[in-house]
mmCIF file of all heavy atoms in Angstrom:
data_model
loop_
_atom_site.group_PDB
_atom_site.id
_atom_site.type_symbol
_atom_site.label_atom_id
_atom_site.label_comp_id
_atom_site.label_asym_id
_atom_site.label_seq_id
_atom_site.Cartn_x
_atom_site.Cartn_y
_atom_site.Cartn_z
ATOM 1 N N SER K 269 -19.633 8.314 -18.626
ATOM 2 C CA SER K 269 -20.692 8.606 -17.662
ATOM 3 C C SER K 269 -22.057 8.618 -18.354
ATOM 4 O O SER K 269 -23.061 8.251 -17.766
ATOM 5 C CB SER K 269 -20.417 9.927 -16.942
ATOM 6 O OG SER K 269 -20.586 11.011 -17.814
ATOM 7 N N TYR K 270 -22.088 9.020 -19.644
ATOM 8 C CA TYR K 270 -23.361 9.055 -20.385
ATOM 9 C C TYR K 270 -23.533 7.854 -21.295
ATOM 10 O O TYR K 270 -24.642 7.376 -21.509
ATOM 11 C CB TYR K 270 -23.464 10.350 -21.197
ATOM 12 C CG TYR K 270 -23.568 11.559 -20.301
ATOM 13 C CD1 TYR K 270 -22.478 12.397 -20.113
ATOM 14 C CD2 TYR K 270 -24.760 11.831 -19.606
ATOM 15 C CE1 TYR K 270 -22.553 13.481 -19.247
ATOM 16 C CE2 TYR K 270 -24.843 12.914 -18.742
ATOM 17 C CZ TYR K 270 -23.740 13.737 -18.568
ATOM 18 O OH TYR K 270 -23.823 14.797 -17.718
ATOM 19 N N PHE K 271 -22.430 7.371 -21.877
ATOM 20 C CA PHE K 271 -22.506 6.246 -22.818
ATOM 21 C C PHE K 271 -21.554 5.130 -22.389
ATOM 22 O O PHE K 271 -20.517 4.917 -23.025
ATOM 23 C CB PHE K 271 -22.147 6.720 -24.237
ATOM 24 C CG PHE K 271 -22.926 7.924 -24.694
ATOM 25 C CD1 PHE K 271 -22.324 9.180 -24.736
ATOM 26 C CD2 PHE K 271 -24.265 7.800 -25.069
ATOM 27 C CE1 PHE K 271 -23.042 10.302 -25.146
ATOM 28 C CE2 PHE K 271 -24.983 8.917 -25.486
ATOM 29 C CZ PHE K 271 -24.372 10.171 -25.516
ATOM 30 N N PRO K 272 -21.900 4.437 -21.298
ATOM 31 C CA PRO K 272 -20.980 3.419 -20.763
ATOM 32 C C PRO K 272 -20.544 2.409 -21.822
ATOM 33 O O PRO K 272 -19.378 1.992 -21.836
ATOM 34 C CB PRO K 272 -21.800 2.726 -19.675
ATOM 35 C CG PRO K 272 -22.945 3.629 -19.372
ATOM 36 C CD PRO K 272 -23.162 4.529 -20.544
ATOM 37 N N ALA K 273 -21.454 2.046 -22.711
ATOM 38 C CA ALA K 273 -21.137 0.981 -23.678
ATOM 39 C C ALA K 273 -20.025 1.390 -24.638
ATOM 40 O O ALA K 273 -19.339 0.544 -25.201
ATOM 41 C CB ALA K 273 -22.385 0.594 -24.457
ATOM 42 N N LEU K 274 -19.834 2.716 -24.816
ATOM 43 C CA LEU K 274 -18.798 3.167 -25.746
ATOM 44 C C LEU K 274 -17.398 3.095 -25.141
ATOM 45 O O LEU K 274 -16.410 3.146 -25.860
ATOM 46 C CB LEU K 274 -19.062 4.621 -26.161
ATOM 47 C CG LEU K 274 -20.282 4.879 -27.046
ATOM 48 C CD1 LEU K 274 -20.375 6.361 -27.384
ATOM 49 C CD2 LEU K 274 -20.186 4.046 -28.324
ATOM 50 N N VAL K 275 -17.340 3.012 -23.807
ATOM 51 C CA VAL K 275 -16.044 3.138 -23.142
ATOM 52 C C VAL K 275 -15.636 1.864 -22.399
ATOM 53 O O VAL K 275 -14.506 1.397 -22.528
ATOM 54 C CB VAL K 275 -16.065 4.329 -22.158
ATOM 55 C CG1 VAL K 275 -14.804 4.338 -21.287
ATOM 56 C CG2 VAL K 275 -16.202 5.648 -22.909
ATOM 57 N N PHE K 276 -16.591 1.301 -21.637
ATOM 58 C CA PHE K 276 -16.194 0.261 -20.677
ATOM 59 C C PHE K 276 -16.264 -1.149 -21.259
ATOM 60 O O PHE K 276 -17.023 -1.419 -22.193
ATOM 61 C CB PHE K 276 -17.085 0.349 -19.429
ATOM 62 C CG PHE K 276 -16.937 1.658 -18.701
ATOM 63 C CD1 PHE K 276 -18.042 2.489 -18.500
ATOM 64 C CD2 PHE K 276 -15.704 2.055 -18.215
ATOM 65 C CE1 PHE K 276 -17.901 3.694 -17.825
ATOM 66 C CE2 PHE K 276 -15.563 3.258 -17.539
ATOM 67 C CZ PHE K 276 -16.668 4.079 -17.345
ATOM 68 N N ASP K 277 -15.482 -2.052 -20.651
ATOM 69 C CA ASP K 277 -15.469 -3.447 -21.067
ATOM 70 C C ASP K 277 -16.767 -4.135 -20.642
ATOM 71 O O ASP K 277 -17.332 -4.926 -21.377
ATOM 72 C CB ASP K 277 -14.282 -4.167 -20.429
ATOM 73 C CG ASP K 277 -12.968 -3.513 -20.804
ATOM 74 O OD1 ASP K 277 -12.536 -2.568 -20.103
ATOM 75 O OD2 ASP K 277 -12.388 -3.912 -21.815
ATOM 76 N N ASP K 278 -17.195 -3.872 -19.419
ATOM 77 C CA ASP K 278 -18.458 -4.396 -18.916
ATOM 78 C C ASP K 278 -19.249 -3.174 -18.460
ATOM 79 O O ASP K 278 -19.091 -2.722 -17.317
ATOM 80 C CB ASP K 278 -18.199 -5.360 -17.753
ATOM 81 C CG ASP K 278 -19.467 -5.949 -17.180
ATOM 82 O OD1 ASP K 278 -20.539 -5.292 -17.269
ATOM 83 O OD2 ASP K 278 -19.412 -7.062 -16.632
ATOM 84 N N PRO K 279 -20.062 -2.596 -19.384
ATOM 85 C CA PRO K 279 -20.629 -1.272 -19.141
ATOM 86 C C PRO K 279 -21.339 -1.124 -17.795
ATOM 87 O O PRO K 279 -21.089 -0.161 -17.069
ATOM 88 C CB PRO K 279 -21.615 -1.091 -20.304
ATOM 89 C CG PRO K 279 -21.088 -1.978 -21.377
ATOM 90 C CD PRO K 279 -20.434 -3.145 -20.697
ATOM 91 N N GLU K 280 -22.172 -2.104 -17.442
ATOM 92 C CA GLU K 280 -22.965 -1.926 -16.217
ATOM 93 C C GLU K 280 -22.073 -1.961 -14.976
ATOM 94 O O GLU K 280 -22.126 -1.078 -14.125
ATOM 95 C CB GLU K 280 -24.027 -3.021 -16.137
ATOM 96 C CG GLU K 280 -25.176 -2.637 -15.211
ATOM 97 C CD GLU K 280 -26.172 -3.774 -15.058
ATOM 98 O OE1 GLU K 280 -26.406 -4.490 -16.065
ATOM 99 O OE2 GLU K 280 -26.679 -3.953 -13.955
ATOM 100 N N ARG K 281 -21.223 -2.991 -14.914
ATOM 101 C CA ARG K 281 -20.359 -3.161 -13.732
ATOM 102 C C ARG K 281 -19.361 -2.000 -13.621
ATOM 103 O O ARG K 281 -19.163 -1.413 -12.554
ATOM 104 C CB ARG K 281 -19.614 -4.489 -13.855
ATOM 105 C CG ARG K 281 -18.752 -4.843 -12.665
ATOM 106 C CD ARG K 281 -17.757 -5.934 -13.014
ATOM 107 N NE ARG K 281 -16.876 -5.487 -14.102
ATOM 108 C CZ ARG K 281 -16.266 -6.302 -14.945
ATOM 109 N NH1 ARG K 281 -16.456 -7.598 -14.860
ATOM 110 N NH2 ARG K 281 -15.488 -5.817 -15.906
ATOM 111 N N ASP K 282 -18.721 -1.648 -14.729
ATOM 112 C CA ASP K 282 -17.671 -0.631 -14.683
ATOM 113 C C ASP K 282 -18.224 0.772 -14.422
ATOM 114 O O ASP K 282 -17.575 1.588 -13.761
ATOM 115 C CB ASP K 282 -16.852 -0.654 -15.981
ATOM 116 C CG ASP K 282 -16.032 -1.930 -16.097
ATOM 117 O OD1 ASP K 282 -15.985 -2.682 -15.097
ATOM 118 O OD2 ASP K 282 -15.450 -2.182 -17.175
ATOM 119 N N HIS K 283 -19.432 1.034 -14.915
ATOM 120 C CA HIS K 283 -20.055 2.331 -14.662
ATOM 121 C C HIS K 283 -20.275 2.511 -13.163
ATOM 122 O O HIS K 283 -20.042 3.585 -12.598
ATOM 123 C CB HIS K 283 -21.378 2.432 -15.437
ATOM 124 C CG HIS K 283 -21.998 3.789 -15.406
ATOM 125 N ND1 HIS K 283 -22.940 4.154 -14.461
ATOM 126 C CD2 HIS K 283 -21.805 4.894 -16.186
ATOM 127 C CE1 HIS K 283 -23.305 5.410 -14.681
ATOM 128 N NE2 HIS K 283 -22.626 5.881 -15.725
ATOM 129 N N LYS K 284 -20.691 1.421 -12.507
ATOM 130 C CA LYS K 284 -20.941 1.475 -11.052
ATOM 131 C C LYS K 284 -19.674 1.738 -10.247
ATOM 132 O O LYS K 284 -19.732 2.168 -9.101
ATOM 133 C CB LYS K 284 -21.544 0.141 -10.589
ATOM 134 C CG LYS K 284 -23.063 0.124 -10.643
ATOM 135 C CD LYS K 284 -23.623 -0.986 -9.759
ATOM 136 C CE LYS K 284 -24.973 -1.444 -10.285
ATOM 137 N NZ LYS K 284 -25.034 -2.867 -10.588
ATOM 138 N N LYS K 285 -18.515 1.433 -10.833
ATOM 139 C CA LYS K 285 -17.264 1.656 -10.107
ATOM 140 C C LYS K 285 -16.976 3.151 -9.924
ATOM 141 O O LYS K 285 -16.215 3.542 -9.045
ATOM 142 C CB LYS K 285 -16.088 1.025 -10.863
ATOM 143 C CG LYS K 285 -16.090 -0.495 -10.829
ATOM 144 C CD LYS K 285 -14.848 -1.053 -11.489
ATOM 145 C CE LYS K 285 -14.915 -2.579 -11.466
ATOM 146 N NZ LYS K 285 -13.680 -3.194 -11.963
#
Side-chain angles (χ1 to χ4, degrees):
S269 70
Y270 293 104
F271 308 105
L274 291 181
V275 171
F276 298 121
D277 302 88
D278 180 333
E280 201 184 323
R281 184 196 60 206
D282 292 351
H283 188 267
K284 270 199 207 123
K285 289 185 182 186

